[in-house]
Amino acid sequence: SIISVVHCFYFRGGAELLFDGVKKHQVTLPCQPEPWDIRNLLKWIKQNLLKERPELFMQGESVRPGILVLINDADWELMGELDYKLQDQDNVLFISTLHGG
């Protein structure tokens, strides 16, 4: 059977404001037959964690430009972006580099 895995998601640089100001979320993702990838993770975050203004976090099925994504401190562009398969205990960090006035 597929076990659910625990991950920490961090939101910084203003991104946390879309998540009720909470910077760290420790999450056990529900079991599913396929491994979780970032594409499915973003959908789950949008449905379960995001509190307001999803257009500031997501664009289409990805994060919007200006949000830096780090997986275990490495740029997600080096990890396969949306296709990266989450491993147990992965840390995923979302940093907004957009600063509105």
Side-chain angles (χ1 to χ4, degrees), residues 25-49:
H25 296 259
Q26 193 152 5
V27 170
T28 302
L29 292 170
C31 296
Q32 61 176 32
E34 296 295 309
W36 281 86
D37 59 19
I38 297 289
R39 181 178 283 106
N40 291 327
L41 172 66
L42 288 172
K43 285 182 199 159
W44 188 90
I45 285 175
K46 184 177 179 181
Q47 291 168 343
N48 295 279
L49 296 180

Side-chain angles (χ1 to χ4, degrees), residues 44-87:
W44 188 90
I45 285 175
K46 184 177 179 181
Q47 291 168 343
N48 295 279
L49 296 180
L50 192 59
K51 299 298 185 201
E52 58 184 280
R53 301 182 70 184
E55 72 279 1
L56 292 183
F57 184 67
M58 295 198 57
Q59 187 172 70
E61 62 176 13
S62 189
V63 291
R64 67 175 280 179
I67 294 191
L68 183 65
V69 182
L70 299 178
I71 301 166
N72 302 324
D73 298 323
D75 190 323
W76 77 324
E77 291 178 4
L78 305 173
M79 314 284 281
E81 298 190 6
L82 293 171
D83 296 321
Y84 174 78
K85 302 275 189 281
L86 287 169
Q87 311 295 315

